[in-house]
Amino acid sequence: MIKSYAITDIGRKRQLNQDFIYLSETPIGNLPNVFIVADGMGGHNAGDYASRYAVETVVEEIGASFEKNPVKIMGRAIDKANAMIRQKAREDVSLNGMGTTMVIATCMGRYLEVANVGDSRLYVVHENRIEQVTQDHSLVEEMVRMGGIDRASARNHPDKNIITRAIGARDYIEADFFNLELQTGDMILLCSDGLTNMIEDDVIYRILTNGRSLKNRVEELVETANQNGGKDNISVIVIEPSAGEYD
C-alpha cells in the first residue's frame, strides 16, 4: 500500500503562504492516487488564491474525467485550470497577473506518471542516488540547457525566480509529461522551490535515506530549509510506493 506524508510551511521571510498541496492515496476518478504541489505568484492574496483554485480545479476535473490515459487526464485538467485562472483574473482586477506552478504525480502500479508546469519539482530517490525528473521552466534553466551558464552558477543566479511557464500566464499552456518505471525501494519527492533553493540535492538525498520515519524525514527537510534561511514558502510531499507492487 502506498504511503505519503506532506508539509507546507510559510518559511522565515514571507508574510503569506502562496503554496498549496494536495494528496490522495485513494483513487480520484480514473487515477489510483493523486499528489500535487503548486506555488502561486501574484500580488497580495492573488498567489495563494491562484495555487489553491488551480489545484481544486485540477482535482475536480480529474474526478470527472472519463479518460483512461493519465496524460490526457492530467493535461486536460491543467488546461481547464489555466482557463479558469485566466477568467478569474479578467473578472477581478485584484487578481490580475496571478499564476501558479504545478507538479502532479500518480503512481500506477510500478509506473509513475508526472505532469509539470513551472519550477516546482519532482524527484525520484533511488537506493544510491537522487534523480530530478522534471525540468524547470525558468529563464536560468534555459540558459543552462543552451550552455550559457553552468549548473553551479545557476543556483545563485539573480534571475533564478523568473519562470517561463505558469498556469494562468497565457491563454495556452504547455505542460511537460514524464513516465518512468519505479524500482523496489524508490521514493518520490514533490516540492516547491522553497525547498530546493535552500537545500542541495545531495543533502535532500541524505535526509530522505537516513532511516527515520517518513514523518520525521519530511519534517527534517522543512526544518533544514528554514535553518538555511527559509527565504520562501516550503512545500514537500514524499511518497513511498509499496515495494510489493513491483515484485
Side-chain angles (χ1 to χ4, degrees):
M1 191 170 122
I2 198 166
K3 275 175 57 179
S4 62
Y5 193 78
I7 295 175
T8 184
D9 186 87
I10 196 169
R12 294 272 172 88
K13 304 292 185 184
R14 297 297 174 93
Q15 302 300 310
L16 195 68
N17 191 347
Q18 296 190 321
D19 289 0
F20 195 83
I21 60 176
Y22 176 88
L23 61 163
S24 175
E25 296 175 357
T26 55
I28 304 293
N30 287 328
L31 296 184
N33 45 71
V34 176
F35 304 91
I36 307 173
V37 168
D39 180 355
M41 65 205 74
H44 186 66
N45 291 335
D48 64 318
Y49 181 88
S51 59
R52 184 181 73 252
Y53 186 60
V55 171
E56 289 171 351
T57 302
V58 162
V59 172
E60 187 177 324
E61 288 298 303
I62 289 171
S65 177
F66 292 106
E67 288 285 352
K68 301 291 187 188
N69 183 320
V71 171
K72 288 183 178 178
I73 294 170
M74 293 188 292
R76 290 179 183 177
I78 288 169
D79 287 344
K80 181 62 178 287
N82 188 67
M84 295 301 288
I85 291 286
R86 299 284 288 171
Q87 181 181 326
K88 289 286 183 184
R90 285 192 294 269
E91 293 170 354
D92 185 343
V93 67
S94 71
L95 300 176
N96 188 42
M98 71 174 172
T100 184
T101 72
M102 188 176 290
V103 58
I104 312 173
T106 183
C107 299
M108 309 186 76
R110 70 173 68 197
Y111 293 97
L112 176 66
E113 301 283 350
V114 183
N116 179 60
V117 178
D119 63 354
S120 293
R121 293 179 179 177
L122 183 141
Y123 292 83
V124 174
V125 180
H126 304 288
E127 184 180 357
N128 57 356
R129 65 190 173 93
I130 184 169
E131 174 190 3
Q132 183 181 335
V133 174
T134 54
Q135 290 188 336
D136 296 351
H137 300 141
S138 68
L139 184 64
V140 168
E141 183 62 28
E142 287 187 7
M143 291 162 67
V144 171
R145 284 201 288 266
M146 294 173 69
I149 59 171
D150 60 26
R151 183 66 61 191
S153 303
R155 184 159 185 84
N156 299 304
H157 196 281
D159 294 332
K160 185 167 175 55
N161 293 326
I162 298 175
I163 63 173
T164 53
R165 291 190 221 170
I167 293 173
R170 297 189 180 92
D171 286 334
Y172 171 75
I173 186 72
E174 183 183 359
D176 285 348
F177 299 94
F178 305 88
N179 165 279
L180 60 155
E181 186 173 356
L182 297 167
Q183 305 300 317
T184 301
D186 283 352
M187 283 177 281
I188 301 152
L189 166 67
L190 290 79
C191 60
S192 61
D193 66 346
L195 181 78
T196 51
N197 285 345
M198 293 291 102
I199 313 180
E200 299 277 2
D201 288 4
D202 62 334
V203 178
I204 293 173
Y205 170 79
R206 200 159 62 240
I207 292 170
L208 286 177
T209 56
N210 68 15
R212 301 175 71 201
S213 72
L214 179 57
K215 177 176 182 286
N216 284 345
R217 282 175 279 154
V218 173
E219 288 174 345
E220 188 176 345
L221 284 175
V222 174
E223 287 165 9
T224 305
N226 275 322
Q227 287 165 6
N228 290 351
K231 293 179 181 176
D232 201 352
N233 310 140
I234 307 153
S235 291
V236 177
I237 301 175
V238 177
I239 309 159
E240 292 184 334
S242 171
E245 291 178 25
Y246 319 139
D247 295 339

